[in-house]
Amino acid sequence: MSSKSPPAPLDYLRRWPLRLWIAGVAFFLYAPLVTLIAFSFNESRRNIVWTGFTFDWYAQVFQDDALIEAFVNSLTIAAISTVISVILGALVAVAMWRFRFPGKPVFEGLLALPIVVPEICMGVAMLVFFSRILPWPSDLPWPLDLGAITIAHVSFSFPFVAVIVRARLLSFNRELEEAAKDLGASEWRAFMDVLVPHMRPALVAGALLAFTLSLDDFVITFFTSGPDTVTFPVKVYSMVRFSVTPEVNAASTLLILITVVLTAIGLRMQGKDIARAEGGA
Amino acid sequence: MEQDWKQSRGSFFTAFAPPAFWLTLFFLVPLAIIWAYSFGKNISMTEVAVTGTLSNYARIADPVYISIFVKSIVYAALTTFLCLIVGFPVALAITFAPDKAKAWLLLLIMLPFWTNLLVRTYALMAVLRTEGYVNTVLGWIGIGPLPLLHNNFAVVLGLVYVNLPFLVLPLYSALDRLDRSLLEASLDLGAGHIRTIREIVIPLALPGILSGLLITFIPALGSYLTPDLLGGPDSQMIASVIERNFKRANDWPFGSALSFILMYLTFFAIAAQTLVAARRRKAGGEA
Amino acid sequence: MAKTLISIQNITKRFGNFAAVDDVSLEIAEGEFFALLGPSGCGKTTLLRMLAGLEMPTEGQILIDGQDMSRVPPNKRPVNMVFQSYAVFPHMSVKANVGYGLRIDKVAKDEIEARVREALALVKLDGLEERKPDQLSGGQRQRVALARALVKRPRVLLLDEPLSALDAKLREAMRSELAQIQEKVGVTFVMVTHDQDEALAMATRCGVMHRGVLQQVAAPSDLYEYPNNRFVADFIGSVNLFEGTLTIDEPDHAMIESEELGGPIHLDHGVTGATGATVWAALRPEKIAMAHRDEGAAAPQETNVVPGVVRHLSYLGNETLYEVEIACGRRIKVTRSNVARYEERGFSGGEPVWLSWHPRAPAVLLS
């Protein structure tokens, strides 16, 4: 007998049918992605038979100015919309948490709308808005020409940030703020010195979510982008429409890499942040 | 606890005004416009007159559009159901896994969730193609090539592939909130695992399970990319029709009406879930 | 003793490298009320959960009624448990909770009805059949958990810290009630607790655990009067421990030379140890007599008498706890019953006293 005991009744993970099931699910989720990554290094254009290792497709990606531009656009939009979303999301979360005001339940419902409304509906609404009400000039210098897309991204991102920050605020001990005021801090100082540090992990998580949502969005961007303001997903979409090419594989692999790195950074920062906020203080 | 806004107007407006302004101008106004448009008609290539007509909604009653709505609902429901079947055992295993394994498993589910939707859809396209991997493997065992792409099968498979993490995470958080000793008590009193899941886990986690199903159903219902890239000519879902009316057919009033019907369906689903959850809570659940 | 019902043989449970339960062997007889006692994290709950089948031992065997339980899942064991949190199913009525196990066993409907009624009467919950758990008090929920387990007529009832969540007054009442219920149904009870009063008051036999190791198994009074080692002596009740060297060890008397006491401790019985070995004398506070002493008075000729000064006193109502400092600076705990209303006057802080004890009062500990 080995020193391992048989599984306890709720150790579902140690039962083979469930292990098999999880392995199957993991295969289902990852096999297409792994295949995609593998064939971004394949010499053959036809993609299915492995003919040899190459970086050619990556070289092609880096020489494709349109793709690079789309990529830079995506990152720029994500960065700007993240900053605005975090500010707006944090403000509204604090306002909702702190104050009682007439019509609050209605406002709460409206704030949840961007989260639940189907993307396609929001996309067409933005299309109409930016072509009829607030036509966004297309000849503005970069990055101002990305304004319409950025605004649309903020609109669907900041309510998500608000949800995360509000959840965090629930665990705030109001006596801390009262103590700060008792010790002479002004409203503003108390906010910055006590409340903001408490919100920090949520702000980081919210920023990460906003960034990913923006980078990930295809549908809404598809309806707000013009011919000169193409983002990475929109560009890849137009490439995919035509054919499956190793170049798209290479570009996608780069995006997956960015996702993995961002996730890793996010998990690290959040882990440290929470440790610092809860344990260190 | 909460402070009345009048007690410190300055702070309240500083915090409240910017987001409220943004939400109104850049979200509610655009929605209001297409709502108005849904009661209008095209008078030229670029102009829409809001006439208060209901003809756009009347057109939706056409069997062609009704069938597309029905198909969208069926696909979304089927997707949600398949995700539940596939995801429930995974969520259960994660819930009771030791801490370290739990973190890794969550990451395993999260990573595709964070990966670009287009990239994931594209990856699936690549393996399902006639000359893709699945058909190659099937070829070795003498089957195929099967038409795996550009049909309804591919759409549902793609929707499950894309939405599975959406359901596993809320399922996990619903199960994780259960008091573990309740499950142990049930086992201790003689119930097997299946019976414990049926009589204890599901009734108690039901509100969480329902909201998880909702979070999966809503995006599946409004999917554009997956049916567009993986589907064939007959696998259009409602979002594709909306897109066509805005981008190609240029019939904005009709597109707007379709959008609002889709939105009403979404709200209906949310209301239904809220109602069921509320009734459950009130009844306390019958054994 | 009645026949053995539970036989725990060399059970070890490791979590990683940490042995939560370390080579424990124990036999529990039919009809006993057995308490597993120890500080939190000592492994007692893990041991209980292994009896229930909710944890699996890394090594060793558990036999119930002579049957090896190693491969028997919890739902097939003749054992039921009352959980610390009670684990009453919140979505079921009291009646449905109590009948749950019987429904699973496919007992006939009217028999379930009758047995549930009987079980609820036993725990004095008649009339609350239709209530939901959130309409019950903590004490009532516990009774539901108890009825739910007993209704299955298990060979063994396991109780995990059954009284810890109740308030102090209720706990006292529940102690005697649980003991009465056990007597009435005759089922073997195995209880886990960290509360020594609870264990001593209710159990017929106790096992003390520390760091995964079973330190001593004995009847409550033996545990208190004849502890095996320093941990048990210190954990059960209050004690003064003196480290010393065994200098004389004859069948009818012995002596321990203790630096901590600044003198010898005389015993009127032998110690089965080697002379020269380090031993500990455990002296309970109530077994020390205290007398007024005049400053400068010569020491009496008796043995086991030490002079000291009262440094601190805590008035506890029924008794008073004195801390008496002896010559070497060590403080000794002494308790006196407060019978001063009709007896001699008490002692006050700073007062010089004589401490003395009977040569049979100290328990000698070899480890």
Side-chain angles (χ1 to χ4, degrees):
Chain A
M1 279 288 286
S2 72
S3 69
K4 278 216 150 176
S5 50
L10 291 179
D11 274 348
Y12 287 122
L13 199 58
R14 288 184 54 192
R15 288 166 193 273
W16 68 265
L18 268 161
R19 285 194 166 180
L20 213 61
W21 192 268
I22 288 179
V25 170
F27 180 78
F28 174 58
L29 287 177
Y30 283 91
L33 293 174
V34 170
T35 314
L36 180 147
I37 294 170
F39 281 97
S40 71
F41 299 106
N42 189 10
E43 262 180 8
S44 160
R45 181 158 259 291
R46 273 188 43 82
N47 222 342
I48 177 67
V49 190
W50 183 263
T51 53
F53 184 89
T54 179
F55 275 121
D56 285 359
W57 310 115
Y58 288 88
Q60 240 180 63
V61 166
F62 286 112
Q63 278 155 20
D64 186 337
D65 289 340
L67 200 58
I68 294 288
E69 191 195 321
F71 200 73
V72 172
N73 280 348
S74 272
L75 291 178
T76 311
I77 294 167
I80 300 173
S81 73
T82 297
V83 172
I84 304 177
S85 298
V86 168
I87 295 171
L88 290 178
L91 283 178
V92 77
V94 170
M96 301 285 283
W97 168 72
R98 182 59 161 288
F99 295 104
R100 221 174 21 239
F101 55 91
K104 187 170 171 178
V106 176
F107 184 75
E108 202 152 345
L110 292 177
L111 191 65
L113 269 188
I115 297 176
V116 299
V117 159
E119 284 188 298
I120 185 84
C121 301
M122 196 165 161
V124 298
M126 289 298 171
L127 168 70
V128 174
F129 181 75
F130 283 114
S131 61
R132 294 291 154 84
I133 308 299
L134 191 75
W136 201 264
S138 59
D139 50 358
L140 288 173
W142 188 91
L144 292 176
D145 57 344
L146 303 172
I149 304 176
T150 310
I151 287 173
H153 283 197
V154 172
S155 291
F156 69 71
S157 299
F158 91 86
F160 281 99
V161 178
V163 169
I164 295 178
V165 176
R166 251 185 113 179
R168 174 78 189 159
L169 282 174
L170 287 181
S171 67
F172 180 71
N173 177 3
R174 267 173 204 256
E175 287 188 357
L176 290 177
E177 198 186 348
E178 286 164 3
K181 285 188 187 159
D182 179 64
L183 294 169
S186 65
E187 186 95 14
W188 174 249
R189 277 301 298 267
F191 177 77
M192 291 306 285
D193 291 351
V194 180
L195 203 57
V196 171
H198 180 79
M199 293 195 303
R200 252 187 72 121
L203 296 179
V204 171
L208 218 67
L209 183 63
F211 195 85
T212 326
L213 284 174
S214 169
L215 211 57
D216 198 34
D217 180 72
F218 166 74
V219 173
I220 293 167
T221 315
F222 185 53
F223 285 96
T224 37
S225 64
D228 300 324
T229 51
V230 167
T231 66
F232 186 77
V234 174
K235 178 69 188 161
V236 171
Y237 176 75
S238 66
M239 291 166 82
V240 168
R241 293 292 294 173
F242 294 114
S243 71
V244 173
T245 67
E247 197 189 343
V248 180
N249 279 7
S252 303
T253 303
L254 288 176
L255 199 62
I256 294 175
L257 191 70
I258 291 180
T259 310
V260 171
V261 170
L262 270 179
T263 310
I265 293 174
L267 289 178
R268 266 209 111 86
M269 274 175 72
Q270 247 185 310
K272 273 191 191 153
D273 234 34
I274 287 175
R276 190 167 44 218
E278 251 116 62
Chain B
M1 272 286 278
E2 280 170 358
Q3 201 177 357
D4 196 273
W5 69 283
K6 284 183 194 145
Q7 282 175 352
S8 75
R9 282 166 201 258
S11 309
F12 174 69
F13 279 114
T14 320
F16 183 74
F21 172 78
W22 191 289
L23 184 72
T24 309
L25 183 63
F26 296 127
F27 182 74
L28 298 177
V29 167
L31 278 190
I33 295 166
I34 62 163
W35 185 73
Y37 274 15
S38 73
F39 300 102
K41 63 172 202 258
N42 274 330
I43 50 173
S44 75
M45 272 303 282
T46 54
E47 276 174 277
V48 174
V50 179
T51 58
T53 174
L54 291 174
S55 64
N56 296 313
Y57 289 98
R59 267 177 73 194
I60 294 174
D62 188 305
V64 176
Y65 295 110
I66 293 287
S67 74
I68 287 178
F69 269 108
V70 169
K71 186 194 250 172
S72 300
I73 294 171
V74 169
Y75 281 12
L78 185 62
T79 300
T80 311
F81 176 72
L82 290 174
C83 285
L84 179 66
I85 301 292
V86 175
F88 190 84
V90 178
L92 196 66
I94 297 178
T95 305
F96 297 104
D99 286 345
K100 207 166 174 180
K102 189 184 254 187
W104 281 109
L105 284 170
L106 282 173
L107 193 66
L108 183 90
I109 301 295
M110 289 284 274
L111 215 51
F113 180 77
W114 290 97
T115 303
N116 193 298
L117 176 66
L118 190 65
V119 170
R120 283 191 289 157
T121 313
Y122 169 70
L124 201 58
M125 274 174 85
V127 291
L128 291 180
R129 287 181 308 157
T130 316
E131 60 275 22
Y133 241 74
V134 176
N135 266 320
T136 313
V137 173
L138 287 176
W140 292 342
I141 53 171
I143 309 171
L146 298 177
L148 296 172
L149 197 55
H150 301 306
N151 54 29
N152 293 338
F153 164 79
V155 173
V156 174
L157 184 77
L159 287 175
V160 172
Y161 180 69
V162 161
N163 288 308
L164 185 59
F166 270 109
L167 187 53
V168 173
L169 294 180
L171 274 185
Y172 157 72
S173 77
L175 296 180
D176 199 45
R177 257 174 281 153
L178 288 181
D179 179 357
R180 191 190 168 110
S181 66
L182 292 174
L183 276 73
E184 291 178 341
S186 172
L187 293 172
D188 181 69
L189 291 166
H193 288 272
I194 302 292
R195 181 116 191 212
T196 299
I197 287 169
R198 213 176 59 219
E199 296 210 22
I200 309 296
V201 176
I202 292 180
L204 289 176
L206 196 69
I209 294 174
L210 283 178
S211 71
L213 293 177
L214 189 72
I215 313 182
T216 314
F217 180 78
I218 290 177
L221 183 65
S223 304
Y224 170 73
L225 204 56
T226 313
D228 185 63
L229 289 178
L230 299 177
D234 68 329
S235 38
Q236 281 193 347
M237 284 172 72
I238 189 61
S240 314
V241 182
I242 295 176
E243 186 266 346
R244 210 176 44 224
N245 274 291
F246 274 92
K247 283 219 146 172
R248 276 166 267 179
N250 211 21
D251 190 349
W252 290 13
F254 184 54
S256 302
L258 287 170
S259 299
F260 264 87
I261 296 293
L262 175 59
M263 251 187 277
Y264 294 143
L265 283 176
T266 307
F267 296 154
F268 179 76
I270 296 171
Q273 188 261 335
T274 316
L275 217 67
V276 172
R279 185 173 305 161
R280 261 333 270 203
R281 209 163 312 137
K282 206 159 137 203
E286 285 309 312
Chain C
M1 205 154 93
K3 88 178 198 9
T4 300
L5 180 62
I6 303 171
S7 171
I8 297 171
Q9 301 173 350
N10 306 97
I11 284 286
T12 295
K13 173 69 183 179
R14 278 188 213 99
F15 295 106
N17 286 327
F18 169 72
V21 174
D22 195 355
D23 196 21
V24 167
S25 295
L26 173 66
E27 310 237 302
I28 297 172
E30 182 117 52
E32 268 197 280
F33 194 141
F34 192 89
L36 276 167
L37 177 63
S40 62
C42 71
K44 57 194 191 301
T45 296
T46 307
L47 187 57
L48 192 78
R49 288 169 59 84
M50 286 193 282
L51 285 175
L54 299 171
E55 300 288 354
M56 293 296 173
T58 318
E59 280 158 38
Q61 241 187 348
I62 293 175
L63 305 181
I64 297 178
D65 237 352
Q67 262 192 313
D68 180 12
M69 289 285 128
S70 306
R71 296 271 154 195
V72 182
N75 47 335
K76 302 272 189 280
R77 294 192 182 197
V79 160
N80 287 112
M81 180 146 162
V82 176
F83 288 78
Q84 183 171 15
S85 67
Y86 313 143
V88 174
F89 305 131
H91 59 306
M92 295 183 191
S93 66
V94 168
K95 205 164 114 187
N97 258 291
V98 178
Y100 183 78
L102 298 177
R103 281 201 306 283
I104 283 164
D105 292 350
K106 302 210 168 63
V107 176
K109 262 223 156 87
D110 36 335
E111 196 193 334
I112 294 182
E113 191 82 16
R115 277 170 69 178
V116 167
R117 204 175 319 120
E118 184 193 357
L120 286 175
L122 180 72
V123 298
K124 298 184 186 141
L125 278 183
D126 2 23
L128 300 181
E129 284 86 351
E130 302 305 329
R131 291 265 187 101
K132 281 282 167 60
D134 59 3
Q135 297 167 308
L136 300 176
S137 68
Q140 287 171 326
R141 274 203 287 276
Q142 180 185 43
R143 285 159 193 266
V144 174
L146 190 61
R148 186 177 70 178
L150 282 174
V151 80
K152 288 206 63 174
R153 297 178 185 154
R155 300 300 312 275
V156 184
L157 185 80
L158 307 174
L159 303 110
D160 187 3
E161 300 272 4
L163 306 180
S164 64
L166 303 178
D167 60 57
K169 272 266 186 298
L170 200 55
R171 207 175 314 165
E172 295 263 324
M174 217 36 208
R175 260 187 214 170
S176 62
E177 197 175 336
L178 260 183
Q180 280 168 26
I181 288 175
Q182 196 261 343
E183 245 166 68
K184 206 162 174 183
V185 295
V187 172
T188 309
F189 278 27
V190 178
M191 173 178 81
V192 151
T193 179
H194 67 273
D195 182 334
Q196 40 155 321
D197 294 346
E198 212 168 287
L200 299 184
M202 292 160 77
T204 48
R205 227 155 45 105
C206 295
V208 179
M209 281 186 78
H210 179 50
R211 295 200 177 139
V213 179
L214 191 59
Q215 306 284 336
Q216 186 174 3
V217 178
S221 58
D222 290 346
L223 218 47
Y224 185 78
E225 300 294 352
Y226 305 101
N228 255 347
N229 59 36
R230 279 174 292 159
F231 175 79
V232 176
D234 194 38
F235 185 72
I236 310 276
S238 180
V239 76
N240 297 295
L241 276 176
F242 300 102
E243 188 176 324
T245 312
L246 191 61
T247 48
I248 301 173
D249 187 12
E250 299 292 329
D252 63 342
H253 71 281
M255 192 171 86
I256 297 166
E257 199 62 54
S258 170
E259 254 176 61
E260 282 187 313
L261 185 67
I265 297 169
H266 295 271
L267 305 166
D268 70 351
H269 57 85
V271 179
T272 46
T275 49
T278 304
V279 296
W280 291 265
L283 202 47
R284 300 282 184 197
E286 77 280 3
K287 293 188 171 61
I288 301 176
M290 195 154 71
H292 299 285
R293 167 169 74 94
D294 295 322
E295 205 75 62
Q301 289 308 298
E302 299 134 68
T303 55
N304 293 338
V305 178
V306 199
V309 176
V310 175
R311 284 299 173 208
H312 185 80
L313 55 90
S314 314
Y315 181 74
L316 301 172
N318 59 336
E319 59 180 23
T320 299
L321 171 67
Y322 298 90
E323 282 177 41
V324 178
E325 190 175 301
I326 55 174
C328 61
R330 164 98 194 249
R331 287 189 177 193
I332 297 177
K333 287 177 278 188
V334 182
T335 50
R336 299 281 83 190
S337 280
N338 287 325
V339 290
R341 267 162 69 103
Y342 53 87
E343 250 183 26
E344 49 169 330
R345 68 181 172 93
F347 301 85
S348 44
E351 194 180 334
V353 290
W354 292 113
L355 299 180
S356 61
W357 56 90
H358 191 274
R360 217 171 296 152
V364 181
L365 311 172
L366 302 179
S367 63

